[in-house]
Amino acid sequence: MNNLTDNLTWIKDDLNGKVTLVAVSKNHPVSKIKEAYAAGQRNFDENKVQELMEKIDLLPKDIRWHLVGHLQTNKVKYIAPFIYMIHSLDSAKLAAEISAQAQKNERVIDVLLQVRIAKEETKFGLTEDDAEKIIKNQWAGDYPGISIRGLMGMATFTENESHVREEFKVLRDFFREVKEMHFTNEVSFDTLCMGMTGDYRIAIEEGSNMVRIGTAIFGSR
Ligand SMILES: *Cc1c(COP(=O)(O)O)cnc(C)c1O
């Protein structure tokens, strides 16, 4: 019995091919990432730049590395050459730095705007107004080198399912509104990233098409 592989197979069945699974490998060793890779997983998420940098050289080059969690502007330069998607764009300052580093590397970096949907004050993320400001600045040409692919949000950590569902609905509605207002003719604004181990089924029911799952794949950290 291989638990990790079984977990992955089971989750993928659950996602039904319609939702992108990003495996959150933070705090887990390279050996486990290799196991998931061998089972066909290609999208992985880390939340600390230093840990990510230590891992990449030990792992296959066709892995698509995502970054979750608050990103300090002074760390962007390390990941700019290879990062596949940054899920945590949470300030105009960070957008400007990702843009600058993307251009230095002659790349376009895919990003998600992290929107604060949870009531908890500890969560990072943009207000809806600030997210829209960044989108408008992007259209005005402020951030070449960045492609805004969608939105990301984290629900409150609670057993209260209807509360979690309400928060996901708010983000889904905002996603649709933004798409209609700012990306009508763009296919590139296509990612609504919400849901983790404890709440991904609810998130998918509410329209998520990218989930970030750690514990259900790798076990507890
Ligand atoms: C750690 C983390 C996850 C994964 O959480 P699990 O509960 O282990 O699935 C997802 N998203 C973010 C932003 C995280 O920091």
Side-chain angles (χ1 to χ4, degrees), residues 174-189:
F174 182 57
F175 176 77
R176 287 182 181 161
E177 194 184 306
V178 165
K179 190 167 172 66
E180 212 162 276
M181 277 175 62
H182 303 288
F183 296 92
T184 328
N185 302 312
E186 305 288 319
V187 288
S188 64
F189 191 83

Side-chain angles (χ1 to χ4, degrees), residues 23 25 30 33-34 36-38 41-45 52 55-56 58-66 82-84:
S25 49
V30 162
I33 301 175
K34 283 184 177 162
Y37 181 91
Q41 181 63 27
R42 290 295 177 273
N43 290 284
F44 291 90
D45 236 325
L52 173 57
K55 283 173 171 171
I56 51 168
L58 308 169
L59 287 157
K61 296 292 167 250
D62 63 337
I63 286 181
R64 295 171 163 188
W65 289 108
H66 300 240
F82 67 89
I83 200 75
Y84 181 74

Side-chain angles (χ1 to χ4, degrees), residues 18-19 172 192-195 200 202-211:
K18 291 184 197 118
V19 177
R172 186 230 11 238
L192 178 57
C193 180
M194 47 189 206
Y200 74 88
I202 304 172
I204 292 167
E205 283 166 17
E206 297 309 330
S208 171
N209 58 19
M210 179 183 277
V211 292

Side-chain angles (χ1 to χ4, degrees), residues 22-28 45 47 68-70 87 114 152-154 157 195-200 211-217 219-221:
V22 187
V24 183
S25 49
K26 65 184 186 200
N27 300 340
H28 291 292
D45 236 325
N47 73 336
V68 283
H70 180 63
H87 292 209
Q114 183 173 351
M152 180 277 212
M154 287 170 84
F157 192 70
M196 7 206 295
T197 293
D199 57 19
Y200 74 88
V211 292
R212 312 171 310 274
I213 298 182
T215 308
I217 298 171
S220 57
R221 290 179 285 273

Side-chain angles (χ1 to χ4, degrees), residues 51-182:
E51 185 178 339
L52 173 57
M53 300 310 290
E54 286 165 8
K55 283 173 171 171
I56 51 168
D57 288 338
L58 308 169
L59 287 157
K61 296 292 167 250
D62 63 337
I63 286 181
R64 295 171 163 188
W65 289 108
H66 300 240
L67 196 91
V68 283
H70 180 63
L71 172 61
Q72 288 171 275
T73 48
N74 63 353
K75 302 272 172 70
V76 175
K77 57 179 177 288
Y78 302 113
I79 61 171
F82 67 89
I83 200 75
Y84 181 74
M85 184 181 266
I86 294 172
H87 292 209
S88 45
L89 204 167
D90 59 7
S91 72
K93 189 175 157 219
L94 183 59
E97 179 61 11
I98 297 171
S99 169
Q101 294 299 333
Q103 290 174 84
K104 251 187 206 166
N105 287 277
E106 296 177 356
R107 296 187 66 207
V108 173
I109 296 179
D110 285 349
V111 302
L112 302 176
L113 303 184
Q114 183 173 351
V115 178
R116 194 186 313 138
I117 52 172
K119 304 288 176 284
E120 300 160 60
E121 281 173 21
T122 51
K123 300 266 157 90
F124 285 98
L126 299 156
T127 62
E128 293 187 356
D129 281 353
D130 286 342
E132 277 204 84
K133 265 183 211 153
I134 289 179
I135 291 164
K136 284 178 186 156
N137 292 347
Q138 156 87 3
W139 282 118
D142 276 6
Y143 311 125
I146 286 186
S147 173
I148 299 176
R149 298 296 307 271
L151 306 178
M152 180 277 212
M154 287 170 84
T156 303
F157 192 70
T158 169
E159 298 284 310
N160 185 337
E161 267 200 26
S162 60
H163 185 107
V164 169
R165 189 179 295 279
E166 279 315 305
E167 291 179 351
F168 285 148
K169 272 192 214 272
V170 167
L171 190 61
R172 186 230 11 238
D173 290 346
F174 182 57
F175 176 77
R176 287 182 181 161
E177 194 184 306
V178 165
K179 190 167 172 66
E180 212 162 276
M181 277 175 62
H182 303 288

